[in-house]
Amino acid sequence: MRRAIAGAGLALVLAAPAQAQGPGAADSVSLIARGCCLDDVRDGTEVTKFEFEGNRVLSSKTIRNALFTDKSGFLPWSSKHRLDKMEFRNDLLRLHILYQRHGYFDVRLVEYSVRPSGTDKVRISLTVAEGEPTLVDTLSIEGLEDVADAPPLDELRQHVGLRQGEVF
């Protein structure tokens, strides 16, 4: 599948993976349905563990830094992070957006688990299927032929920051 993006004299053709999920991949209703036990815990419960599975391209630290939900520190003086169910639901969408920003438009949240762990504590895990990256198939700069003092196209391509064959 190929996607075309054009604007301001720049045209891109992206080669998307054949198994592309389409725009419905981040549908919030289906994301919530992929999880377990969120309704069984209450807001304000301490998050003692927050782990990720299936992530190869983005580190767990990168993912964690992009989300609102976080785990508590293990030292006695560390801050205690509490579960906010609404923000956690938003984190499921943030995860999808994070991967899109890194060129993985077809990432899927396989499942998540929010499980009670002792008194007033919860453990969270997210499992993702990253899919294939979307690559730049064609990069062209058009419409500058009649512009006086326009730099050479090869020079402009160097400043775009995208290269043919690289992850979009």
Side-chain angles (χ1 to χ4, degrees):
M1 180 167 124
R2 292 165 63 102
R3 298 175 184 150
I5 300 174
L10 180 66
L12 293 172
V13 177
L14 305 173
Q19 70 275 15
Q21 296 290 322
D27 179 84
S28 60
V29 174
S30 64
L31 286 175
I32 300 306
R34 292 189 188 119
C36 171
C37 312
L38 183 60
D39 292 333
D40 295 344
V41 296
R42 64 178 182 76
D43 272 333
T45 304
E46 182 184 352
V47 179
T48 58
K49 191 170 194 175
F50 192 22
E51 60 189 0
F52 307 95
E53 297 176 26
N55 56 311
R56 296 176 322 278
V57 174
L58 300 180
S59 71
S60 294
K61 181 179 179 182
T62 298
I63 295 170
R64 189 174 284 112
N65 286 338
L67 304 180
F68 179 86
T69 305
D70 200 0
K71 66 180 179 177
S72 296
F74 62 90
L75 298 172
W77 56 85
S78 299
S79 59
K80 302 297 181 210
H81 292 275
R82 306 284 177 182
L83 177 65
D84 181 321
K85 291 181 357 177
M86 179 63 77
E87 287 297 340
F88 178 74
R89 288 180 182 106
N90 289 334
D91 279 341
L92 301 178
L93 297 172
R94 288 182 189 112
L95 178 69
H96 191 81
I97 292 167
L98 174 67
Y99 269 95
Q100 285 182 334
R101 291 179 60 206
H102 285 85
Y104 285 76
F105 290 87
D106 299 311
V107 65
R108 286 185 312 106
L109 175 66
V110 175
E111 67 180 353
Y112 68 85
S113 172
V114 180
R115 300 220 182 249
S117 170
T119 307
D120 204 30
K121 296 181 181 183
V122 68
R123 297 166 62 127
I124 301 173
S125 67
L126 301 176
T127 303
V128 297
E130 295 173 329
E132 296 297 317
T134 298
L135 305 176
V136 176
D137 182 80
T138 305
L139 173 65
S140 64
I141 300 173
E142 302 170 351
L144 298 177
E145 296 80 16
D146 298 330
V147 175
D149 300 330
L153 293 181
D154 287 338
E155 185 178 324
L156 285 174
R157 276 190 202 96
Q158 301 222 351
H159 295 288
V160 171
L162 294 171
R163 306 281 178 263
Q164 185 174 355
E166 289 183 354
V167 175
F168 177 66

